[in-house]
Amino acid sequence: MTFFRDNIDAMTPYIPGDQPIGGEGIVKLNQNENPYPPSPAALEVLRQFDGGTLRLYPDPMAREFCRTAGEVLGVPPESILVGDGSDDIIIMIARACLAKGRSVVYPVPTFPFYFTQAQVEDAQIVAVPFNDDFSVPIDALIQAGGTVTFVANPGSPTGVAPSTDQLDYLAGKLDGLLVIDEAYVDFADQNALALADRHANVIVLRTLSKGYSLAGLRLGFGVANPSLLAGLLKTKAIYNVGVLSAAVGAAAMADQDYHNECVARIVASRSKLVGDLAGLGFEVVPSQANFVLVRPPGGNAKAVYEALKARGILVRYFKEPPLDDKLRITVGTDKQDAVLVEAMKDLL
Ligand SMILES: *Cc1c(COP(=O)(O)O)cnc(C)c1O
């Protein structure tokens, strides 16, 4: 006896990275969290927050936040839809666009949550393997002709970013919706935000979880043509972003100086980490994100993952090929990265 639809019973749930309780002394490089604290200006808003206002419902559209985000990004606030993290926007897209007989297309390996949501809606799933260098197989994605096509820019867990020109071309060739998931774009050389204006079938997803050190706040958004957002809005939980998240998030986005400083540090640490691991014989996929996908010498990624875990260093291991010989390592502070590199030296 089951309460659930057949496709829900058949599903494998999404498994997040390990989240140690307490976590004292743990070097946590497995969920692509930002190693630096949130903006001091955002933390000040949190400290000064008048708890009495929590009695009232928030603005369902978080318009104040959209105004700030729109100003920072140079897009009209009406082209922004807020979410309880960008995961929430992915759920809205799936609910609004997918069903049995409709299809989801994405290059693999990628963020498994696209697969999860496609399964929830019982949609057909077309997973197109990346090219050997993890570049996006543009022609194969066009050929697949999905109702919804997801491309992460930069990709996760690869860190490889398609060029904006490639995405522009893809958007123009697709009849369906193109979701460009820019969760890690803060750390990349270019972004595809302009495509949300240029193409009626493009939505660009952003989050404050990675680049703004606010994974625990739960705030993300989609940028698209207002007519596209109007459709998604029908599937949104009414008050999906709390007043506290919106206020703290707006202050964080307004503080671009701090954001740029943290990003610059992480990008510098990424180069150093890549050099150090390559020096130890790791194969490193060139990354535009705040993590690196690496293959340890010999390729026994599982053993390395477990040995690191035993030393209190968490990295991400995925057991399915073609990732089962690789590890995804979040770029931490230089100090955290040095602990990791020392441990690797020891293990090899
Ligand atoms: C982290 C991540 C997200 C979403 O993060 P939220 O915390 O829900 O905003 C979306 N896509 C990718 C590829 C991610 O890695």
Side-chain angles (χ1 to χ4, degrees), residues 14 19 62 83 98 110 194 204 213 226 229 234 240 273 296 299 301 336 340:
Y14 177 82
Q19 291 175 296
L98 300 178
T110 192
V204 174
S213 311
L229 297 185
K234 295 175 184 171
N240 61 331
L273 179 63
Q336 289 177 310
L340 172 93

Side-chain angles (χ1 to χ4, degrees), residues 182-204:
E182 297 201 324
Y184 299 103
V185 85
D186 307 70
F187 309 102
D189 296 337
Q190 46 179 330
N191 70 74
L193 195 60
L195 302 186
D197 183 42
R198 198 173 310 154
H199 297 277
N201 63 336
V202 167
I203 181 165
V204 174

Side-chain angles (χ1 to χ4, degrees), residues 60 82 88 92 95 232-241:
V82 289
D88 191 30
M92 288 182 227
R95 286 182 60 176
L232 298 182
L233 190 54
K234 295 175 184 171
T235 71
K236 178 172 108 54
I238 306 169
Y239 305 107
N240 61 331
V241 171

Side-chain angles (χ1 to χ4, degrees), residues 293-317:
L293 187 66
V294 301
R295 184 181 187 278
N300 196 347
K302 186 161 190 273
V304 175
Y305 159 75
E306 279 165 359
L308 289 173
K309 192 171 173 178
R311 294 169 178 230
I313 302 170
L314 298 182
V315 299
R316 195 78 194 257
Y317 169 70

Side-chain angles (χ1 to χ4, degrees), residues 5-348:
R5 286 180 274 138
D6 293 346
N7 58 306
I8 302 296
D9 271 329
M11 268 179 74
T12 34
Y14 177 82
I15 303 165
D18 296 322
Q19 291 175 296
I21 296 167
E24 286 295 298
I26 298 278
V27 177
K28 189 170 182 304
L29 303 175
N30 66 337
Q31 286 190 311
N32 301 338
E33 291 147 326
N34 197 308
Y36 299 109
S39 147
L43 294 179
E44 190 54 26
V45 167
L46 183 61
R47 251 189 305 274
Q48 301 287 330
F49 188 78
D50 174 7
T53 63
L54 292 176
R55 186 176 64 78
L56 301 171
Y57 277 110
D59 172 2
M61 303 302 290
R63 280 169 299 183
E64 277 293 325
F65 171 79
C66 293
R67 237 191 310 278
T68 304
E71 225 165 82
V72 168
L73 299 174
V75 303
E78 317 80 69
S79 64
I80 299 178
L81 178 64
V82 289
D84 175 17
S86 52
D87 287 353
D88 191 30
I89 311 284
I90 295 169
I91 293 172
M92 288 182 227
I93 293 166
R95 286 182 60 176
C97 303
L98 300 178
K100 201 178 181 77
R102 291 173 164 241
S103 64
V104 173
V105 177
Y106 45 73
V108 281
T110 192
F111 188 40
F113 198 62
Y114 312 145
F115 175 67
T116 306
Q117 290 311 309
Q119 283 182 303
V120 168
E121 305 304 334
D122 211 6
Q124 187 199 342
I125 295 159
V126 184
V128 182
F130 274 109
N131 301 324
D132 287 341
D133 58 357
F134 291 121
S135 62
V136 175
I138 299 286
D139 290 330
L141 295 181
I142 295 168
Q143 202 94 54
T147 313
V148 179
T149 303
F150 285 97
V151 177
N153 175 41
S156 174
T158 63
V160 178
S163 74
T164 304
D165 287 346
Q166 277 181 310
L167 292 172
D168 193 11
Y169 175 77
L170 176 62
K173 291 285 181 187
L174 288 174
D175 294 322
L177 184 62
L178 174 61
V179 182
I180 304 175
D181 182 350
E182 297 201 324
Y184 299 103
V185 85
D186 307 70
F187 309 102
D189 296 337
Q190 46 179 330
N191 70 74
L193 195 60
L195 302 186
D197 183 42
R198 198 173 310 154
H199 297 277
N201 63 336
V202 167
I203 181 165
V204 174
L205 307 187
R206 293 286 179 93
T207 177
L208 280 80
S209 296
K210 317 290 179 15
Y212 291 88
S213 311
L214 289 170
L217 190 69
R218 309 308 304 134
L219 187 59
F221 54 94
V223 180
N225 189 295
S227 64
L228 175 53
L229 297 185
L232 298 182
L233 190 54
K234 295 175 184 171
T235 71
K236 178 172 108 54
I238 306 169
Y239 305 107
N240 61 331
V241 171
V243 62
L244 188 54
S245 298
V248 173
M253 284 206 70
D255 192 356
Q256 284 298 300
D257 287 348
Y258 180 79
H259 172 255
N260 294 339
E261 186 191 315
C262 290
V263 166
R265 275 202 228 172
I266 290 166
V267 168
S269 299
R270 180 177 73 199
S271 307
K272 175 157 174 40
L273 179 63
V274 166
D276 289 350
L277 291 176
L280 294 177
F282 283 72
E283 285 173 34
V284 184
V285 180
S287 173
Q288 291 272 301
N290 68 335
F291 56 82
V292 289
L293 187 66
V294 301
R295 184 181 187 278
N300 196 347
K302 186 161 190 273
V304 175
Y305 159 75
E306 279 165 359
L308 289 173
K309 192 171 173 178
R311 294 169 178 230
I313 302 170
L314 298 182
V315 299
R316 195 78 194 257
Y317 169 70
F318 307 91
K319 61 180 189 304
E320 300 82 20
L323 297 174
D324 56 343
D325 61 343
K326 300 179 189 67
L327 298 169
R328 191 193 68 189
I329 304 173
T330 306
V331 178
T333 60
D334 282 341
K335 203 170 149 196
Q336 289 177 310
D337 297 348
V339 171
L340 172 93
V341 169
E342 279 311 305
M344 291 292 199
K345 269 185 203 160
D346 234 36
L347 292 174
L348 296 174

